[in-house]
Amino acid sequence: MASLNFTQIRSRNPISDLTLTRSQTGLARRTRVGFKVVAASESPVEPDLSVTVNGLHMPNPFVIGSGPPGTNYTVMKRAFDEGWGAVIAKTVSLDAAKVINVTPRYARLRADSNGSAKGQIIGWENIELISDRPLETMLKEFKQLKEEYPDRILIASIMEEYNKAAWEELIDRVEQTGVDAFEINFSCPHGMPERRMGAAVGQDCALLEEVCGWINAKATIPVWAKMTPNITDIAQPARVALKSGCEGIAAINTIMSVMGIDLKTLRPEPCVEGYSTPGGYSSKAVHPIALGKVLSIAKMMKAEFNDADYSLSGIGGVETGGDAAEFILLGANSVQVCTGVMMHGYGLVKKLCAELMDFMKLHNFSSIEDFRGASLPYFTTHTDLVRRQREAIEQRKAVKKGLQSDKDWTGDGFVKETESMVSN
């Protein structure tokens, strides 16, 4: 709220402006000439959403996740124009001719009975593969985007078969376009593992270590390893990736799932010529699972790595600024959105930024770093929860019992101390 100040209009001697004049009645009074009441300009400082991740400056922490929202020049340009902090393009490989998608490739889960078309969408499954566009076409579009948006962050998602020479060629060709970083897709759960790609690497720590070694020996820009949640302990492959030279971890990719069965036709969804295949699950329903996986990685990174040198990008069911705040509170430097854009459009970033700023204002946070990882210390073991609760109960019992000795009486709290020993 603006305060009120008294400001002089004239800049002469302030004492002479406070002249005493004598009226015809002979009484002295102060003149009001030369003074006015004005509102002081107190513009509250808005929270700063910008982040710097592995040396890459972003206007906000919201990143287009790899997938359909980053599939070509037109949509990536739209993302930059709408204000997204960074864009991760759809995953590319050397030979796009091997990538053949089917339609339909998506299925939705609603918060209602099987087959309902009215309930809120809470889950989304896809059986989509990586980019089916020729690599040369994607490379031209990467280069064009960097020429038109030199100060914006464009990250290339890449994937290859278990072949060192192929990985080295892909890295070299993509780097020449001027992209700012790599995200390595070690986590696509469907289609690609059949070719020893995607999750087939992310689920095998020995294989992951070898491939990460090839990649980091060749790459000259930051490398993020995108982790699969389809594993018992996600911290293990994340640790391997960081030890093998990656600068960042992104988690999670989609969860292997079967969306459902049509109870009229008895066929699975999404249905392609009467058949289907398990696919990747995303959207609101995966958010708690994603938070759990990110927590596991964040705790490992905090305990074993220098937090300032490595980054964590949170992914999973982000549709509100509050969803994003939860990932950041667990230690994420950035937050990715893919399915959310498919459901709500590229303009979603404005809502996300506004809601995240509201959260920051509520807690008087001025920057993302002010609260990044702030909730990590409040996670512990179940054994420790039992101990803490037992101690808290004992303390409450002690207070309820009242004073133990006459020497415990105090003057300040005398009434409350008396009441603590009253039984009714």
Side-chain angles (χ1 to χ4, degrees):
M1 179 178 178
S3 61
L4 298 179
N5 288 342
F6 288 98
T7 304
Q8 289 180 258
I9 296 176
R10 294 178 296 191
S11 58
R12 299 201 311 270
N13 186 338
I15 297 179
S16 66
D17 285 334
L18 286 170
T19 55
L20 293 176
T21 61
R22 190 172 297 276
S23 67
Q24 293 178 345
T25 62
L27 297 176
R29 67 179 176 84
R30 290 177 185 267
T31 178
R32 289 187 291 269
V33 176
F35 286 83
K36 66 177 181 178
V37 179
V38 297
S41 57
E42 294 181 1
S43 301
V45 178
E46 291 288 289
D48 181 10
L49 293 182
S50 67
V51 294
T52 299
V53 185
N54 301 128
L56 307 175
H57 183 74
M58 306 175 190
N60 59 68
F62 297 108
V63 180
I64 291 287
S66 180
T71 197
N72 61 45
Y73 165 84
T74 301
V75 297
M76 288 188 279
K77 173 180 170 60
R78 175 66 180 274
F80 283 139
D81 290 341
E82 289 286 352
W84 288 85
V87 172
I88 303 179
K90 193 174 186 184
T91 305
V92 298
S93 61
L94 289 176
D95 190 358
K98 295 180 180 179
V99 181
I100 303 175
N101 277 300
V102 295
T103 300
R105 65 190 72 162
Y106 310 131
R108 299 175 292 197
L109 179 67
R110 296 181 182 272
D112 211 331
S113 59
N114 184 301
S116 171
K118 296 181 180 180
Q120 178 189 12
I121 297 172
I122 59 172
W124 187 285
E125 185 196 25
N126 83 87
I127 55 172
E128 187 164 11
L129 303 181
I130 63 176
S131 178
D132 57 11
R133 305 178 71 221
L135 177 62
E136 200 57 46
T137 300
M138 292 293 283
L139 296 181
K140 289 178 181 178
E141 294 182 357
F142 291 168
K143 186 175 182 180
Q144 183 179 357
L145 282 165
K146 285 306 299 179
E147 289 173 350
E148 295 180 9
Y149 299 89
D151 60 337
R152 304 301 292 278
I153 302 304
L154 177 61
I155 299 173
S157 175
I158 61 175
M159 180 196 291
E160 254 310 321
E161 296 180 356
Y162 179 65
N163 182 306
K164 182 180 179 181
W167 275 106
E168 291 177 339
E169 179 185 350
L170 182 60
I171 290 169
D172 184 56
R173 292 176 66 181
V174 175
E175 271 202 19
Q176 290 181 33
T177 66
V179 296
D180 300 284
F182 286 119
E183 182 180 81
I184 314 300
N185 189 336
F186 290 133
S187 46
C188 182
H190 51 271
M192 309 317 295
E194 298 168 15
R195 295 169 53 194
R196 213 176 184 188
M197 301 167 74
V201 180
Q203 292 168 333
D204 184 332
C205 285
L207 196 60
L208 178 67
E209 182 177 17
E210 183 177 18
V211 175
C212 279
W214 300 342
I215 293 167
N216 289 299
K218 184 67 176 178
T220 63
I221 55 179
V223 175
W224 297 358
K226 189 172 184 178
M227 298 286 98
T228 175
N230 303 303
I231 191 168
T232 303
D233 181 5
I234 197 171
Q236 290 188 18
R239 179 186 295 109
V240 168
L242 294 175
K243 285 186 175 181
S244 300
C246 295
E247 285 82 5
I249 297 295
I252 60 173
N253 205 326
T254 53
I255 301 170
M256 181 64 84
S257 67
V258 171
M259 180 54 75
I261 308 295
D262 186 317
L263 297 182
K264 295 179 181 178
T265 66
L266 311 186
R267 301 300 178 106
E269 300 288 356
C271 193
V272 180
E273 309 303 332
Y275 294 82
S276 192
T277 187
Y281 192 49
S282 60
S283 194
K284 189 182 298 290
V286 310
H287 186 65
I289 299 171
L291 290 175
K293 298 292 186 180
V294 166
L295 169 66
S296 179
I297 295 170
K299 289 172 65 178
M300 178 275 295
M301 291 177 67
K302 189 173 182 64
E304 302 177 26
F305 296 87
N306 185 343
D307 189 53
D309 296 334
Y310 299 91
S311 67
L312 177 57
S313 189
I315 315 167
V318 174
E319 295 183 28
T320 70
D323 295 334
E326 290 178 305
F327 276 121
I328 298 169
L329 286 164
L330 291 181
N333 304 80
S334 63
V335 179
Q336 296 185 31
V337 187
C338 181
T339 307
V341 178
M342 297 170 70
M343 293 171 59
H344 305 292
Y346 291 89
L348 175 64
V349 69
K350 295 180 175 61
K351 173 177 176 286
L352 295 174
C353 286
E355 291 174 349
L356 184 57
M357 288 186 73
D358 287 344
F359 162 79
M360 293 171 69
K361 291 176 184 176
L362 180 66
H363 296 279
N364 294 317
F365 295 136
S366 61
S367 70
I368 298 296
E369 283 299 313
D370 281 353
F371 66 99
R372 189 173 70 83
S375 295
L376 277 178
Y378 301 106
F379 286 90
T380 184
T381 64
H382 190 273
T383 300
D384 187 53
L385 290 179
V386 172
R387 178 189 64 80
R388 288 174 181 273
Q389 187 160 69
R390 182 184 298 119
E391 291 177 355
I393 291 172
E394 290 301 319
Q395 290 175 359
R396 288 195 289 270
K397 285 181 178 179
V399 171
K400 190 174 181 180
K401 288 177 182 176
L403 305 181
Q404 303 299 308
S405 171
D406 282 350
K407 67 180 176 61
D408 295 330
W409 288 92
T410 67
D412 293 336
F414 196 82
V415 175
K416 288 186 177 180
E417 290 164 356
T418 302
E419 292 177 349
S420 72
M421 292 183 284
V422 175
S423 64
N424 61 356

